[in-house]
Amino acid sequence: MAVEKILVVGRHPKAHTLARPFTKKLYAADDAGDIWQLIESVEPNLILFDADIPQDDVYDTLLTLRDRQIRVPVIFVCADKNRAEQLIEAGAHSCLSGYDDSARMGQIIDRIENPASMLESRFFVEDCPSKVSIVDK
């Protein structure tokens, strides 16, 4: 469960520590304005924003990625549930609740690497019955 290249946006060392075990190559940008040249030259498989990056910058980045038709999953660290919902609606792939959320990071990367398994787990849950009886009045 590792991707080839992760781009970490932000200066928080814990964001870099969080990403390191899940990639072969780790790239860094100090802020959202610094990422475009890296995205073009490195072509990361994943972008991770640390919690110190302003929400507006993450939001603008998501819109620009969509406008440029650059398809790269974006994950961000955020403890604020409202902020997380807004960014996911804008196109972010996922949110991590903190820098020590490495188990969730691994799950997200698994889903990115194996999108078919994500569909299976989303639609074919073992706890749900395979059929439902419908009773008419």
Side-chain angles (χ1 to χ4, degrees):
M1 108 179 113
V3 293
E4 180 75 24
K5 299 172 269 188
I6 295 178
L7 171 58
V8 177
V9 183
R11 297 180 182 159
H12 203 294
K14 288 186 177 184
H16 298 258
T17 303
L18 174 65
R20 172 67 58 204
F22 299 102
T23 188
K24 296 176 184 172
K25 297 178 183 176
L26 185 66
Y27 298 89
D30 285 343
D31 58 48
D34 296 337
I35 68 171
W36 300 109
Q37 184 177 3
L38 279 169
I39 288 174
E40 291 177 15
S41 62
V42 171
E43 297 180 359
N45 304 100
L46 175 73
I47 299 173
L48 173 65
F49 281 90
D50 81 23
D52 295 336
I53 300 296
Q55 177 179 350
D56 290 343
D57 291 353
V58 178
Y59 187 82
D60 291 343
T61 300
L62 291 167
L63 294 180
T64 304
L65 286 168
R66 185 175 59 203
D67 290 346
R68 293 184 183 184
Q69 297 182 353
I70 299 172
R71 303 204 188 288
V72 58
V74 174
I75 300 173
F76 57 96
V77 178
C78 172
D80 181 354
K81 209 169 198 172
N82 291 330
R83 176 183 178 202
E85 289 174 7
Q86 290 172 347
L87 293 175
I88 288 173
E89 286 176 13
H93 186 280
S94 257
C95 169
L96 298 170
S97 61
Y99 296 111
D100 57 350
D101 204 357
S102 61
R104 174 119 168 90
M105 180 78 161
Q107 292 170 347
I108 293 167
I109 289 177
D110 281 344
R111 286 192 318 223
I112 291 169
E113 289 183 312
N114 305 308
S117 69
M118 184 175 126
L119 289 175
E120 288 172 12
S121 67
R122 178 182 267 172
F123 296 111
F124 301 105
V125 179
E126 293 174 4
D127 297 336
C128 292
S130 58
K131 64 180 180 177
V132 177
S133 299
I134 298 176
V135 179
D136 195 17
K137 290 183 180 181

